[in-house]
Amino acid sequence: MDAGQADFATLFEALPVGAYRSRPDGTMVRANAALVRLNGYGSEAELLGAVHDIAREWYVDPGRRAEFSRLLEADGRVTAFVSEVWRHRTRERIWISENATLVRDEAGRVRWYEGTVEEITERVLTEQALQRSEARLQQLMALMPGVVYRLAIHADGSRHYTFVSDGVRELYGLEPEQVMADGDTLVSLRHPDEDRSLRANDRALREQLDLEYEVHVQLPDGREKWVQVISAPAPSEDGHQVRVGMLFDITARKQAEQALRASSDWWKRALESTCDGVWDWDFAHGTGHLSAQGRALFGYGTDDMPDDPAALDAATHPDDFPAMLAAREAHFSGRAPAYINEHRVRCRDGRWKWVLSRGVVMERDADGRPLRMIGTHTDIDAAKQAEALRHERDRAAAADQAKSHLLSRVSHELRTPLNAILGFAQLLALPDQRAGADAQARYVEHILDGGRHLLALVDDILDLSAAQTGELRITVETLEARGVLDEVLRMFTPAAEQAGVTLQDTTAGAVLPPLRADRRRSVQVLSNLVSNAIKYHRRGGHVRLEAGVEGGMVRIAVHDDGPGLGTAQLARLFQPFERAGAERGPVPGTGLGLVLRRQLA
């Protein structure tokens, strides 16, 4: 081997990419170290011994070898021939780029192919991923309503579109190529009244701002449309400012809004012809309108009150304000088909006037939030006053009827003990009274019982009357619940023993907080419950006193296992002088105890 051949061999082995010599039949003659490694072998001899037919053993598509040979024999060389091949030893699929030259002998016959092989798997996979991504993006853009665009703005203010999606055909009736050929095509279609949107667009370009607005356009065929424009700055390229954006057709929405506004204006004018006050509230822009009748309803002139329904919120009676807001929110949220509320509003002269306020949301945004509501105020002050007078009349009539009934019952209840007192007193007054001392003592006891019954009856009637008129004196103090319970237990333990009833105290271990109450009235209420449970019980029965804390309050309960009451008796339980049939029994009573205790509670 001469020096030139030795230098060539060194260069062949040192190449960073694979290099080879092969025969046209696919037999490999030489392979450098880089090609050996690319195929997963440890030496050239190992590779040459393993490869027999490049076409079948190396190319994933065997037809690529035939195409490679055809190009090589036609042109004498092949450049950047990309194929998918097997890494020969591991059978891993990789991508390569080949450059090759055809070598002939003196007779012109093909002796072999010489060339280089470079693995480009990572590059090909990246390109394929990019192609798939671009394909998906193109598909999404084709399906997306509206137009997606990319706009470059030059230093001299001229512009050109570097991308326009196919949606421009439907929106503007133009081909994407037309728009990209002339950067001012879309701007030229803006309606002559669109100076404001042009100024907003120019400012966004100067100051690199996000932009969203609605623009009125006039198409080449004379049709008019409304377009929503959304754009944002993108990274600059080659010194050019770049913006990306979207265009949406909102013509149908605009037409619906205009029709709705025209309809609501018609209804507003119709309502203004009545005596009701009409209000129109634009939440989207924070503005509103209150008709002249609406102002006059509260004594205001045109210049005396802001032209805004929200001004009436500040004049609403504080007691009515929460309910008014709740009714409004119920309609805003869709829980009520309309806003309806009665409340008082302060008039200019300081008096309060009742109005019936009604309204309906006319427009909502995409999330359902109200944008505009129209409603009326109807003067119901006279009706409210008449209703109050009817209520007072009905209450007075009911009180008068109750008083007559009470007097009738009181006279009946007083007659029984008075007859006893008079009868036994007459017996003692007889001149020929021959009764002994024992009989006289019984007469006196009957007279005393009748007197005590009368006193209890009169006391209960006086307390009940005072409680119903609000004149009952109540002294609130801080006291221990345990002390009240102990006092009642001490008071009725002897009576329970005498009646053969077990009085159980289950409150001994309960931790009870201090009370804020009237001690005398608390004992009075609890005593009546315990007394009734004992008096109307049977021998061998049980009465149980319980106490506990619920929600920051002390709950005291009296339980018994007595005969109980029927449904009809329970319905009459708190009627004055109603004793649920006990008036025919041996237990004395006035029938006012529970009524009074309930009033006290």
Side-chain angles (χ1 to χ4, degrees), residues 15 21 32 43 168-169 177 230 243 252 257 263 271 323 330 336 338 351 405 431 443 474 498 504:
L15 281 174
R21 174 181 288 174
N32 72 345
S43 66
V168 74
R169 295 192 188 95
E177 293 77 16
I230 302 173
R243 293 188 72 86
E257 288 176 357
S263 174
L271 290 171
R351 66 188 180 92
H405 180 68
Y443 297 161
I474 299 293
Q498 185 177 356
Q504 299 174 323

Side-chain angles (χ1 to χ4, degrees), residues 212-225:
E212 180 176 353
Y213 60 90
E214 297 172 356
V215 61
H216 191 191
V217 300
Q218 192 167 22
L219 303 186
D221 60 6
R223 289 181 299 147
E224 294 186 3
K225 285 187 176 183

Side-chain angles (χ1 to χ4, degrees), residues 204-342:
L205 293 178
R206 282 195 315 272
E207 302 179 17
Q208 290 286 288
L209 303 174
D210 290 347
L211 186 62
E212 180 176 353
Y213 60 90
E214 297 172 356
V215 61
H216 191 191
V217 300
Q218 192 167 22
L219 303 186
D221 60 6
R223 289 181 299 147
E224 294 186 3
K225 285 187 176 183
W226 279 93
V227 176
Q228 183 180 23
V229 180
I230 302 173
S231 75
S236 60
E237 295 180 5
D238 300 328
H240 304 322
Q241 185 183 152
V242 177
R243 293 188 72 86
V244 293
M246 303 181 72
L247 308 172
F248 297 101
D249 187 349
I250 57 170
T251 307
R253 193 195 81 194
K254 277 291 188 178
Q255 291 172 344
E257 288 176 357
Q258 291 171 354
L260 182 61
R261 188 170 297 277
S263 174
S264 61
D265 289 342
W266 185 89
W267 277 108
K268 186 171 69 175
R269 289 194 296 271
L271 290 171
E272 286 175 347
S273 66
T274 69
C275 295
D276 290 347
V278 178
W279 47 268
D280 185 348
W281 206 340
D282 189 338
F283 302 106
H285 300 93
T287 60
H289 170 69
L290 186 61
S291 69
Q293 294 95 325
R295 291 187 176 86
L297 196 65
F298 307 108
Y300 293 98
T302 304
D303 300 326
D304 298 332
M305 175 180 280
D307 190 22
D308 190 350
L312 291 177
D313 281 359
T316 300
H317 196 289
D319 294 345
D320 303 337
F321 193 75
M324 181 191 70
L325 288 184
R328 189 184 296 169
E329 180 56 34
H331 178 48
F332 287 172
S333 64
R335 291 180 284 113
Y339 157 66
I340 302 175
N341 180 251
E342 295 179 359

Side-chain angles (χ1 to χ4, degrees), residues 427-448:
L427 288 176
L428 291 175
L430 288 175
D432 59 345
Q433 175 59 256
R434 297 185 181 85
D438 290 343
Q440 289 182 2
R442 288 197 305 275
Y443 297 161
V444 171
E445 186 62 33
H446 284 304
I447 292 172
L448 290 174

Side-chain angles (χ1 to χ4, degrees), residues 536-553:
Y536 298 106
H537 217 325
R538 53 178 170 75
R539 297 191 69 82
H542 297 79
V543 175
R544 187 173 75 256
L545 197 61
E546 290 183 351
V549 178
E550 289 185 6
M553 301 184 72

Side-chain angles (χ1 to χ4, degrees), residues 9-23:
T10 303
L11 176 63
F12 180 79
E13 288 298 327
L15 281 174
V17 297
Y20 67 88
R21 174 181 288 174
S22 66
R23 295 191 179 92

